[in-house]
Amino acid sequence: NPYGLTASDGSYFLDLTADYDHAPYGGLLQSQTISTTIGAQYRLSFDLGTDSHYDTAPVGVQVTAGSASDTFTSGVPQNRNQWQTFDFDFIATSANTSISLIGQASTSQEYIGLDNVSLEVIPEPSTLTLLAGPGLLVLAAWRRLRKA
């Protein structure tokens, strides 16, 4: 690109402002629906970029997955190509979940970078782990009583 911006990971990223440079900003995966398992917990991770050459205020991304929503905001741009990683956890409430990431800013920003977007299932703790925890506490108490 002609602006001197670099991706947080790899060679490419998405600028949610494009050449528009004022709200409403663009989005990624808007109305994108993915297959999910009801009751499973998911983690959506992404990198949010800003640059002190183009902006003086924080930028953000509004993330929505099904009925869950949150807005993530960068720090005030201190240097060139400043990237921060954010995680958004949600529990699927249906077999299909709509996900969107929409650029947000309080003032007219020239750059809202989005990169390295990934979605993963967060595994549930195993039954063995849940049973071992209390068992180890009982063993420790028994050893203390035995020494006394």
Side-chain angles (χ1 to χ4, degrees):
N1 69 63
Y3 304 107
L5 301 166
T6 58
S8 71
D9 183 43
S11 300
Y12 299 97
F13 65 94
L14 181 64
D15 179 0
L16 296 177
T17 63
D19 288 328
Y20 197 59
D21 294 346
H22 56 80
Y25 296 108
L28 173 70
L29 300 177
Q30 187 167 358
S31 301
Q32 178 72 33
T33 301
I34 59 166
S35 296
T36 51
T37 302
I38 297 172
Q41 186 171 0
Y42 291 83
R43 174 165 291 146
L44 180 71
S45 298
F46 60 93
D47 295 341
L48 178 61
T50 188
D51 191 298
S52 61
H53 184 73
Y54 297 102
D55 297 312
T56 58
V59 297
V61 172
Q62 180 184 17
V63 178
T64 303
S67 61
S69 184
D70 202 352
T71 300
F72 299 86
T73 306
S74 72
V76 174
Q78 300 294 319
N79 50 39
R80 300 289 322 256
N81 294 307
Q82 180 175 313
W83 290 94
Q84 289 177 262
T85 301
F86 294 94
D87 294 325
F88 174 68
D89 294 348
F90 67 93
I91 296 174
T93 57
S94 69
N96 296 301
T97 302
S98 178
I99 296 179
S100 67
L101 292 91
I102 307 293
Q104 303 286 306
S106 58
T107 61
S108 291
Q109 301 294 357
E110 294 183 17
Y111 171 60
I112 302 173
L114 185 64
D115 197 7
N116 205 23
V117 179
S118 66
L119 180 68
E120 66 180 344
V121 177
I122 300 174
E124 293 183 32
S126 69
T127 304
L128 180 60
T129 302
L130 293 174
L131 294 176
L136 291 173
L137 291 174
V138 169
L139 179 62
W142 177 75
R143 288 183 76 183
R144 277 193 192 154
L145 290 174
R146 198 171 139 193
K147 286 183 180 180

XYZ file of all heavy atoms in Angstrom, residues 48-141:
688
model
N -6.215 -5.397 16.214
C -6.751 -4.084 15.880
C -5.577 -3.128 15.713
O -4.731 -3.029 16.601
C -7.690 -3.604 17.002
C -8.316 -2.222 16.861
C -9.191 -2.156 15.613
C -9.125 -1.896 18.110
N -5.529 -2.458 14.564
C -4.388 -1.595 14.273
C -4.746 -0.132 14.185
O -5.848 0.244 13.786
N -3.780 0.691 14.579
C -3.895 2.138 14.445
C -2.495 2.678 14.163
O -1.513 1.948 14.231
C -4.527 2.762 15.706
O -4.802 4.137 15.459
C -3.646 2.620 16.927
N -2.406 3.940 13.835
C -1.125 4.521 13.438
C -1.110 5.998 13.796
O -2.023 6.737 13.431
C -0.946 4.335 11.928
C 0.439 4.660 11.457
O 0.869 5.829 11.613
O 1.104 3.759 10.930
N -0.070 6.423 14.498
C 0.012 7.814 14.962
C 0.144 8.809 13.811
O -0.172 9.986 13.973
C 1.182 7.975 15.927
O 2.398 7.651 15.267
N 0.573 8.361 12.661
C 0.701 9.249 11.506
C -0.677 9.671 10.970
O -0.831 10.746 10.419
C 1.506 8.556 10.405
C 1.769 9.419 9.220
N 2.671 10.458 9.237
C 1.223 9.415 7.976
C 2.688 11.047 8.060
N 1.818 10.426 7.268
N -1.689 8.791 11.176
C -3.017 9.052 10.622
C -4.063 9.412 11.660
O -5.077 10.021 11.325
C -3.501 7.838 9.819
C -2.610 7.578 8.633
C -1.661 6.568 8.669
C -2.685 8.385 7.515
C -0.825 6.352 7.584
C -1.847 8.182 6.430
C -0.915 7.161 6.476
O -0.080 6.968 5.416
N -3.867 9.007 12.896
C -4.904 9.219 13.908
C -4.311 9.686 15.234
O -3.190 9.346 15.578
C -5.687 7.926 14.139
C -6.429 7.486 12.886
O -7.100 8.333 12.281
O -6.322 6.311 12.521
N -5.114 10.441 15.981
C -4.687 10.920 17.293
C -5.562 10.373 18.410
O -5.303 10.628 19.576
C -4.737 12.464 17.344
O -6.076 12.882 17.047
C -3.767 13.067 16.346
N -6.609 9.634 18.060
C -7.544 9.087 19.051
C -7.638 7.572 18.867
O -7.325 7.049 17.806
C -8.916 9.730 18.887
N -8.085 6.863 19.907
C -8.260 5.413 19.794
C -9.289 5.052 18.719
O -10.170 5.844 18.392
C -8.768 4.993 21.176
C -8.390 6.102 22.086
C -8.413 7.347 21.254
N -9.149 3.843 18.196
C -10.127 3.279 17.263
C -10.671 2.003 17.871
O -10.130 1.484 18.845
C -9.501 3.002 15.878
C -9.033 4.289 15.237
C -8.374 1.988 15.987
N -11.750 1.488 17.309
C -12.339 0.291 17.885
C -13.033 -0.586 16.866
O -13.155 -0.237 15.693
N -13.486 -1.726 17.358
C -14.257 -2.671 16.569
C -15.406 -3.164 17.439
O -15.183 -3.573 18.579
C -13.395 -3.874 16.115
C -14.245 -4.945 15.468
C -12.310 -3.423 15.160
N -16.623 -3.091 16.907
C -17.769 -3.677 17.593
C -17.928 -5.096 17.066
O -18.058 -5.308 15.863
C -19.044 -2.888 17.346
C -20.227 -3.499 18.072
C -21.530 -2.788 17.772
O -21.637 -2.038 16.811
N -22.513 -3.026 18.607
N -17.876 -6.064 17.991
C -17.984 -7.475 17.632
C -19.339 -7.986 18.101
O -19.735 -7.746 19.241
C -16.858 -8.299 18.301
C -16.999 -9.770 17.958
C -15.495 -7.763 17.905
N -20.030 -8.686 17.211
C -21.302 -9.310 17.551
C -21.265 -10.754 17.096
O -20.847 -11.040 15.966
C -22.479 -8.581 16.870
O -22.446 -7.206 17.250
C -23.810 -9.182 17.267
N -21.661 -11.656 17.984
C -21.787 -13.085 17.667
C -23.118 -13.535 18.254
O -23.264 -13.640 19.473
C -20.631 -13.881 18.255
N -24.093 -13.765 17.393
C -25.427 -14.095 17.877
C -25.984 -12.925 18.668
O -25.997 -11.799 18.196
N -26.372 -13.178 19.925
C -26.912 -12.103 20.766
C -25.843 -11.453 21.643
O -26.121 -10.480 22.345
C -28.037 -12.654 21.645
O -27.539 -13.669 22.494
N -24.606 -11.973 21.622
C -23.512 -11.402 22.419
C -22.822 -10.296 21.621
O -22.644 -10.413 20.413
C -22.507 -12.487 22.787
N -22.437 -9.226 22.315
C -21.803 -8.103 21.631
C -20.879 -7.370 22.583
O -21.132 -7.306 23.788
C -22.876 -7.151 21.096
O -22.288 -6.115 20.357
N -19.806 -6.800 22.046
C -18.894 -5.992 22.846
C -18.099 -5.108 21.892
O -17.968 -5.411 20.707
C -17.938 -6.875 23.656
C -17.359 -6.168 24.869
O -17.574 -4.941 25.018
O -16.688 -6.828 25.673
N -17.580 -3.999 22.412
C -16.741 -3.110 21.626
C -15.339 -3.115 22.222
O -15.176 -3.004 23.441
C -17.308 -1.682 21.615
O -18.619 -1.718 21.032
C -16.432 -0.746 20.800
N -14.345 -3.255 21.361
C -12.942 -3.300 21.766
C -12.248 -2.070 21.208
O -12.416 -1.737 20.037
C -12.286 -4.573 21.246
C -12.929 -5.811 21.795
C -14.035 -6.366 21.177
C -12.449 -6.393 22.953
C -14.652 -7.499 21.692
C -13.058 -7.519 23.472
C -14.159 -8.069 22.845
N -11.474 -1.385 22.065
C -10.874 -0.113 21.695
C -9.368 -0.158 21.873
O -8.862 -0.637 22.889
C -11.459 1.013 22.565
O -12.887 0.977 22.458
C -10.963 2.369 22.127
N -8.662 0.373 20.886
C -7.200 0.454 20.954
C -6.785 1.533 21.944
O -7.607 2.348 22.362
C -6.625 0.810 19.574
O -6.908 2.173 19.266
N -5.526 1.547 22.260
C -4.986 2.658 23.027
C -4.792 3.846 22.093
O -4.948 3.744 20.878
N -4.467 5.000 22.649
C -4.162 6.171 21.833
C -2.926 5.837 21.007
O -1.933 5.330 21.533
C -3.902 7.401 22.723
C -3.446 8.587 21.900
C -5.150 7.745 23.522
N -2.958 6.095 19.704
C -1.798 5.764 18.861
C -0.539 6.494 19.331
O -0.525 7.717 19.417
C -2.206 6.235 17.469
C -3.667 6.507 17.521
C -4.037 6.710 18.947
N 0.502 5.724 19.649
C 1.764 6.296 20.108
C 2.853 6.187 19.046
O 3.847 6.888 19.119
C 2.231 5.579 21.376
C 1.270 5.677 22.531
C 1.131 7.093 23.043
O 2.102 7.819 23.158
N -0.091 7.498 23.337
N 2.680 5.245 18.101
C 3.714 5.045 17.097
C 3.110 4.508 15.812
O 1.914 4.293 15.720
C 4.805 4.110 17.635
C 4.225 2.848 18.236
O 3.271 2.284 17.715
N 4.773 2.404 19.347
N 3.972 4.277 14.831
C 3.535 3.746 13.539
C 3.194 2.271 13.685
O 3.823 1.547 14.448
C 4.637 3.899 12.492
C 5.100 5.313 12.195
C 4.121 6.192 11.425
N 3.354 5.573 10.373
C 3.569 5.707 9.082
N 4.580 6.407 8.657
N 2.769 5.126 8.209
N 2.192 1.828 12.950
C 1.814 0.417 12.894
C 1.637 -0.207 14.272
O 2.271 -1.197 14.619
C 2.836 -0.372 12.082
C 2.828 0.049 10.644
O 1.787 0.054 10.008
N 3.981 0.422 10.131
N 0.798 0.382 15.074
C 0.527 -0.096 16.432
C -0.617 -1.115 16.379
O -1.717 -0.789 15.951
C 0.143 1.099 17.295
C -0.163 0.787 18.720
C -0.414 2.070 19.499
O 0.333 3.026 19.390
N -1.486 2.087 20.271
N -0.346 -2.356 16.806
C -1.344 -3.434 16.786
C -1.589 -3.961 18.185
O -0.651 -4.077 18.975
C -0.878 -4.585 15.891
C -0.878 -4.256 14.441
C 0.174 -3.793 13.701
C -1.981 -4.354 13.542
N -0.207 -3.600 12.404
C -1.524 -3.944 12.278
C -3.304 -4.755 13.687
C -2.350 -3.921 11.153
C -4.124 -4.737 12.564
C -3.649 -4.326 11.317
N -2.836 -4.282 18.504
C -3.208 -4.913 19.766
C -4.087 -6.119 19.457
O -4.925 -6.063 18.558
C -4.002 -3.952 20.646
C -3.190 -2.827 21.238
C -4.085 -1.904 22.036
O -4.496 -0.872 21.532
N -4.395 -2.280 23.266
N -3.912 -7.186 20.238
C -4.717 -8.392 20.072
C -5.839 -8.401 21.104
O -5.613 -8.093 22.272
C -3.848 -9.654 20.232
O -2.814 -9.619 19.242
C -4.661 -10.920 20.068
N -7.031 -8.748 20.657
C -8.199 -8.828 21.528
C -8.861 -10.185 21.365
O -8.795 -10.797 20.298
C -9.216 -7.728 21.178
C -8.727 -6.339 21.451
C -8.127 -5.584 20.450
C -8.858 -5.780 22.714
C -7.677 -4.299 20.693
C -8.409 -4.500 22.974
C -7.817 -3.755 21.961
N -9.526 -10.646 22.436
C -10.286 -11.893 22.431
C -11.718 -11.605 22.839
O -11.962 -10.839 23.774
C -9.702 -12.905 23.427
C -8.322 -13.380 23.027
O -8.067 -13.519 21.817
O -7.497 -13.627 23.930
N -12.653 -12.248 22.155
C -14.075 -12.125 22.444
C -14.621 -13.534 22.616
O -14.615 -14.327 21.673
C -14.783 -11.402 21.293
C -16.278 -11.343 21.416
C -16.881 -10.586 22.406
C -17.088 -12.039 20.527
C -18.268 -10.519 22.501
C -18.475 -11.976 20.616
C -19.063 -11.213 21.609
N -15.060 -13.877 23.826
C -15.617 -15.196 24.110
C -17.136 -15.133 24.093
O -17.729 -14.170 24.592
C -15.169 -15.696 25.491
C -13.666 -15.962 25.548
O -13.011 -15.977 24.487
O -13.147 -16.159 26.663
N -17.747 -16.168 23.517
C -19.205 -16.249 23.517
C -19.620 -17.712 23.537
O -18.848 -18.597 23.180
C -19.804 -15.531 22.297
C -19.502 -16.168 20.972
C -20.376 -17.081 20.396
C -18.339 -15.865 20.288
C -20.105 -17.664 19.171
C -18.057 -16.441 19.058
C -18.938 -17.349 18.496
N -20.840 -17.937 23.983
C -21.418 -19.282 24.010
C -22.485 -19.342 22.930
O -23.375 -18.479 22.874
C -22.013 -19.606 25.392
C -20.888 -19.627 26.430
C -22.764 -20.935 25.363
C -21.335 -19.790 27.854
N -22.386 -20.348 22.069
C -23.343 -20.497 20.975
C -24.719 -20.873 21.527
O -24.836 -21.758 22.369
C -22.857 -21.559 19.999
N -25.727 -20.175 21.049
C -27.099 -20.454 21.486
C -27.934 -21.085 20.381
O -29.117 -21.343 20.573
C -27.781 -19.163 21.980
O -27.743 -18.197 20.923
C -27.076 -18.613 23.214
N -27.296 -21.290 19.215
C -27.995 -21.951 18.109
C -26.974 -22.697 17.248
O -25.768 -22.541 17.435
C -28.769 -20.936 17.258
O -27.875 -20.115 16.555
N -27.477 -23.488 16.309
C -26.604 -24.280 15.438
C -25.893 -23.411 14.400
O -24.906 -23.831 13.814
C -27.407 -25.371 14.749
N -26.384 -22.202 14.188
C -25.762 -21.248 13.275
C -25.657 -19.908 13.986
O -26.640 -19.435 14.554
C -26.584 -21.096 11.995
C -26.620 -22.382 11.214
O -25.584 -22.892 10.819
N -27.814 -22.916 10.992
N -24.469 -19.308 13.958
C -24.245 -18.042 14.646
C -23.758 -17.001 13.647
O -22.797 -17.232 12.921
C -23.200 -18.207 15.773
O -23.676 -19.206 16.689
C -22.984 -16.909 16.516
N -24.412 -15.846 13.637
C -24.020 -14.733 12.780
C -22.943 -13.919 13.500
O -23.105 -13.565 14.664
C -25.233 -13.857 12.480
O -24.862 -12.766 11.689
N -21.838 -13.640 12.797
C -20.719 -12.897 13.380
C -20.445 -11.659 12.543
O -20.454 -11.718 11.315
C -19.444 -13.762 13.442
C -19.676 -14.941 14.389
C -18.244 -12.943 13.884
C -18.497 -15.865 14.513
N -20.189 -10.524 13.215
C -19.793 -9.308 12.504
C -18.754 -8.544 13.307
O -18.720 -8.621 14.531
C -21.007 -8.420 12.217
O -21.546 -7.917 13.417
N -17.874 -7.855 12.592
C -16.880 -6.968 13.178
C -16.997 -5.652 12.418
O -16.760 -5.608 11.218
C -15.463 -7.522 13.021
C -15.142 -8.781 13.811
C -15.433 -10.016 12.996
C -13.691 -8.770 14.235
N -17.366 -4.579 13.129
C -17.636 -3.286 12.501
C -16.711 -2.233 13.110
O -16.627 -2.104 14.331
C -19.106 -2.845 12.716
C -20.080 -3.936 12.283
C -19.378 -1.527 12.002
C -20.100 -4.218 10.802
N -16.040 -1.450 12.261
C -15.146 -0.393 12.734
C -15.887 0.673 13.515
O -17.007 1.043 13.165
N -15.253 1.173 14.589
C -15.844 2.199 15.457
C -14.784 3.257 15.767
O -13.622 2.927 15.970
C -16.294 1.594 16.788
C -17.281 0.455 16.664
C -18.650 0.944 16.301
O -19.197 1.801 16.968
N -19.202 0.403 15.233
N -15.199 4.513 15.840
C -14.298 5.589 16.243
C -15.124 6.762 16.745
O -16.234 6.995 16.275
C -13.408 6.024 15.088
N -14.584 7.491 17.715
C -15.316 8.627 18.281
C -15.155 9.881 17.425
O -15.936 10.802 17.517
C -14.835 8.900 19.702
O -13.450 9.161 19.698
N -14.124 9.929 16.618
C -13.896 11.064 15.721
C -13.636 10.518 14.323
O -13.534 9.314 14.136
C -12.673 11.892 16.184
O -11.521 11.045 16.160
C -12.870 12.448 17.571
N -13.515 11.375 13.365
C -13.217 10.927 12.000
C -11.793 10.402 11.944
O -10.838 11.170 12.034
C -13.399 12.073 11.004
O -14.770 12.388 10.896
N -11.662 9.107 11.842
C -10.351 8.467 11.792
C -10.013 8.122 10.352
O -10.897 7.893 9.533
C -10.343 7.199 12.650
C -10.678 7.433 14.101
C -9.641 8.270 14.835
O -8.625 8.659 14.300
N -9.904 8.571 16.079
N -8.731 8.047 10.065
C -8.287 7.708 8.724
C -7.878 6.250 8.601
O -7.659 5.778 7.495
C -7.123 8.608 8.327
C -7.521 10.056 8.193
C -6.382 10.928 7.736
O -5.377 10.409 7.223
O -6.494 12.148 7.898
N -7.756 5.532 9.730
C -7.256 4.166 9.650
C -7.748 3.336 10.829
O -7.551 3.704 11.980
C -5.720 4.201 9.627
C -5.064 2.859 9.761
C -5.290 1.842 8.836
C -4.205 2.597 10.814
C -4.677 0.602 8.971
C -3.582 1.370 10.948
C -3.822 0.381 10.026
O -3.224 -0.843 10.149
N -8.412 2.224 10.532
C -8.788 1.219 11.526
C -8.371 -0.124 10.924
O -9.037 -0.652 10.041
C -10.304 1.203 11.821
C -10.786 2.558 12.315
C -10.625 0.109 12.850
C -12.306 2.650 12.471
N -7.241 -0.646 11.379
C -6.720 -1.896 10.829
C -7.319 -3.111 11.508
O -7.545 -3.118 12.719
N -7.574 -4.161 10.731
C -8.078 -5.427 11.255
C -7.272 -6.545 10.605
O -7.129 -6.587 9.378
C -9.565 -5.582 10.944
C -10.247 -6.807 11.531
C -10.248 -6.758 13.064
C -11.677 -6.903 11.019
N -6.735 -7.440 11.441
C -5.884 -8.509 10.916
C -5.951 -9.719 11.837
O -6.388 -9.618 12.992
C -4.432 -8.007 10.837
C -3.551 -8.878 9.946
O -4.068 -9.785 9.274
O -2.332 -8.640 9.926
N -5.512 -10.845 11.312
C -5.309 -12.058 12.105
C -6.582 -12.509 12.829
O -6.545 -12.869 14.000
C -4.162 -11.819 13.093
C -3.482 -13.091 13.499
O -3.535 -14.093 12.800
N -2.836 -13.062 14.647
N -7.708 -12.484 12.138
C -8.986 -12.886 12.727
C -9.066 -14.411 12.757
O -8.795 -15.070 11.753
C -10.175 -12.318 11.926
C -11.506 -12.767 12.521
C -10.098 -10.794 11.872
N -9.388 -14.973 13.923
C -9.522 -16.424 14.032
C -10.643 -16.769 15.007
O -10.979 -15.989 15.888
C -8.211 -17.066 14.494
O -7.908 -16.676 15.817
N -11.212 -17.965 14.829
C -12.283 -18.449 15.693
C -11.939 -19.862 16.113
O -11.569 -20.692 15.271
C -13.624 -18.436 14.955
C -14.832 -18.912 15.753
C -15.163 -17.924 16.870
C -16.026 -19.110 14.849
N -12.027 -20.140 17.425
C -11.745 -21.487 17.916
C -12.733 -21.868 19.007
O -13.296 -21.011 19.680
C -10.315 -21.585 18.446
C -10.061 -20.734 19.679
C -8.640 -20.816 20.207
O -7.908 -21.741 19.825
O -8.269 -19.956 21.003
N -12.932 -23.160 19.148
C -13.764 -23.688 20.229
C -12.887 -23.779 21.465
O -11.742 -24.232 21.403
C -14.306 -25.088 19.877
C -15.111 -25.660 21.034
C -15.145 -25.030 18.620
N -13.403 -23.326 22.597
C -12.667 -23.457 23.863
C -13.081 -24.787 24.474
O -14.259 -24.976 24.803
C -12.986 -22.290 24.819
C -12.585 -20.965 24.166
C -12.282 -22.482 26.154
C -12.992 -19.751 24.964
N -12.155 -25.725 24.608
C -12.527 -27.047 25.131
C -12.989 -26.975 26.584
O -12.496 -26.170 27.372
C -11.254 -27.871 24.996
C -10.156 -26.891 24.802
C -10.745 -25.608 24.316
N -13.944 -27.830 26.905
C -14.431 -27.917 28.287
C -13.405 -28.651 29.124
O -12.701 -29.524 28.620
C -15.750 -28.683 28.327
C -16.886 -27.964 27.658
C -18.187 -28.723 27.790
O -18.381 -29.409 28.812
O -19.009 -28.622 26.878
N -13.301 -28.331 30.426
C -12.392 -29.087 31.292
C -12.831 -30.550 31.331
O -14.028 -30.843 31.341
C -12.547 -28.445 32.669
C -13.360 -27.223 32.472
C -14.010 -27.293 31.128
N -11.865 -31.440 31.341
C -12.213 -32.865 31.356
C -12.739 -33.284 32.728
O -12.472 -32.661 33.743
C -10.999 -33.710 30.996
O -10.041 -33.651 32.037
N -13.491 -34.356 32.751
C -14.039 -34.892 33.999
C -12.916 -35.275 34.939
O -13.002 -35.057 36.146
C -14.915 -36.122 33.693
O -15.916 -35.715 32.761
C -15.582 -36.648 34.954
N -11.812 -35.808 34.412
C -10.677 -36.207 35.248
C -10.125 -35.007 36.002
O -9.847 -35.092 37.194
C -9.581 -36.840 34.375
C -8.330 -37.300 35.103
C -8.682 -38.357 36.159
C -7.317 -37.839 34.133
N -9.995 -33.861 35.327
C -9.494 -32.653 35.983
C -10.443 -32.216 37.092
O -10.011 -31.832 38.173
C -9.329 -31.517 34.957
O -8.443 -31.960 33.928
C -8.775 -30.262 35.598
N -11.741 -32.271 36.813
C -12.721 -31.850 37.814
C -12.707 -32.763 39.034
O -12.911 -32.320 40.160
C -14.119 -31.815 37.192
C -14.336 -30.751 36.124
C -15.714 -30.917 35.485
C -14.195 -29.365 36.698
N -12.475 -34.056 38.842
C -12.437 -34.997 39.957
C -11.099 -34.964 40.687
O -11.043 -35.152 41.890
C -12.715 -36.422 39.456
C -14.120 -36.661 38.907
C -14.208 -38.077 38.356
C -15.167 -36.432 39.971
N -10.011 -34.739 39.958
C -8.677 -34.760 40.567
C -8.477 -33.584 41.519
O -7.836 -33.733 42.552
C -7.600 -34.742 39.487
N -9.028 -32.415 41.183
C -8.836 -31.236 42.035
C -9.273 -31.468 43.472
O -8.468 -31.346 44.397
N -10.534 -31.842 43.729
C -10.974 -32.097 45.098
C -10.220 -33.271 45.740
O -9.921 -33.255 46.934
C -12.456 -32.425 44.959
C -12.874 -31.820 43.661
C -11.650 -31.880 42.789
N -9.888 -34.288 44.938
C -9.155 -35.444 45.465
C -7.785 -35.064 45.981
O -7.343 -35.556 47.026
N -7.112 -34.167 45.284
C -5.786 -33.721 45.726
C -5.888 -32.914 47.019
O -5.005 -32.995 47.875
C -5.105 -32.906 44.630
C -4.690 -33.705 43.386
C -4.176 -32.761 42.310
C -3.638 -34.745 43.742
N -6.954 -32.135 47.180
C -7.149 -31.379 48.419
C -7.359 -32.319 49.602
O -6.823 -32.094 50.698
C -8.340 -30.430 48.286
C -8.153 -29.255 47.329
C -9.461 -28.490 47.175
C -7.052 -28.344 47.814
N -8.134 -33.374 49.413
C -8.363 -34.359 50.471
C -7.052 -35.049 50.838
O -6.740 -35.242 52.012
C -9.436 -35.394 50.033
C -9.498 -36.558 51.000
C -10.789 -34.709 49.905
N -6.257 -35.435 49.842
C -4.967 -36.081 50.082
C -4.040 -35.169 50.881
O -3.382 -35.615 51.829
C -4.316 -36.477 48.760
C -2.946 -37.144 48.850
C -3.043 -38.463 49.622
C -2.359 -37.367 47.473
N -3.986 -33.878 50.525
C -3.121 -32.936 51.247
C -3.567 -32.793 52.701
O -2.738 -32.766 53.623
C -3.143 -31.579 50.550
N -4.883 -32.705 52.947
C -5.392 -32.599 54.317
C -5.081 -33.867 55.110
O -4.693 -33.798 56.284
C -6.908 -32.348 54.292
